[in-house]
Amino acid sequence: MEDIREILRGSLERSLGALDDVDRLAAAWTVAAGSRMASRATVLGYEDGVVRMGAADETWMREMMNVKERLAAEMARLARVSVKEIRIEITRNTRR
């Protein structure tokens, strides 16, 4: 049986074409990060291959820093946007 995450990834990849880059990356973020991490951070912006992310606190920022290369690769693959780097800052406005 195919893993539900793989089904979601395939569906997401097919449905993102009409969105702008930031919206595609924001949609890809939830799948790339998983629900727990995604609920503690959000895509703030995108320019020239750099994704700006806001993390809920220092703990989540460190967690994201530990896996940011994997996250960048997965977000780029899902959103079909060039992601050279992820920059993470602490914001208190992330959804929970």
Side-chain angles (χ1 to χ4, degrees):
M1 177 184 246
E2 189 173 6
D3 181 64
I4 190 69
R5 197 165 190 187
E6 289 305 314
I7 293 170
L8 288 173
R9 280 188 176 122
S11 177
L12 180 64
E13 286 178 38
R14 289 186 296 277
S15 63
L16 293 179
L19 301 176
D20 68 22
D21 290 348
V22 173
D23 289 337
R24 291 196 333 244
L25 287 163
W29 166 244
T30 302
V31 176
S35 62
R36 187 165 180 238
M37 183 179 286
S39 71
R40 300 295 192 258
T42 188
V43 175
L44 300 175
Y46 173 78
E47 187 174 337
D48 297 327
V50 178
V51 180
R52 285 183 40 252
M53 301 291 304
D57 56 38
E58 189 173 332
T59 300
W60 282 104
M61 183 174 78
R62 279 192 306 249
E63 284 289 321
M64 292 170 65
M65 295 292 285
N66 288 333
V67 293
K68 72 179 186 176
E69 288 81 15
R70 181 189 61 79
L71 292 171
E74 189 68 2
M75 289 172 71
R77 184 182 73 79
L78 291 167
R80 296 186 180 173
V81 173
S82 173
V83 178
K84 299 175 194 169
E85 180 182 356
I86 293 179
R87 294 185 187 158
I88 306 162
E89 60 191 72
I90 297 172
T91 58
R92 303 287 184 223
N93 298 335
T94 57
R95 61 181 190 268
R96 289 189 188 231

